[in-house]
Amino acid sequence: MSAPVTKSEVLSALKAAGKDITDPRRIAEAEYQAAATEHSEEARVSLRRDLAEIRKMGRR
C-alpha cells in the first residue's frame, strides 16, 4: 500500500503546471484532495495519475 498523497505533492504539481499556489482556494483544494486519499489506495493511484498529467501540461 502506498502512502497517502500529501498537500505538498498536489501543490508541487500545480506549481509545475504554472498555477498560482499561493491562492487560498488552491491550498484548500490541495488539502481536500490529499485528505481524500488517506483511506483509499484507489484514490491515491487516481490522484497521482492526475497529478502526473497536470505536471505534463506545464511542460508543454
Side-chain angles (χ1 to χ4, degrees):
M1 214 160 124
S2 63
V5 177
T6 65
K7 176 177 83 170
S8 295
E9 285 179 84
V10 177
L11 290 174
S12 174
L14 293 173
K15 185 176 180 180
K19 304 294 182 189
D20 175 18
I21 62 168
T22 62
D23 182 340
R25 292 172 296 184
R26 287 207 202 277
I27 295 168
E29 180 66 18
E31 290 171 347
Y32 174 81
Q33 292 293 331
T37 69
E38 287 181 8
H39 303 292
S40 170
E41 181 69 23
E42 185 176 323
R44 286 189 278 272
V45 169
S46 177
L47 182 55
R48 284 202 169 102
R49 187 177 308 125
D50 292 346
L51 294 176
E53 288 297 317
I54 290 169
R55 283 186 191 95
K56 284 181 188 175
M57 286 190 289
R59 289 185 222 143
R60 291 183 184 165

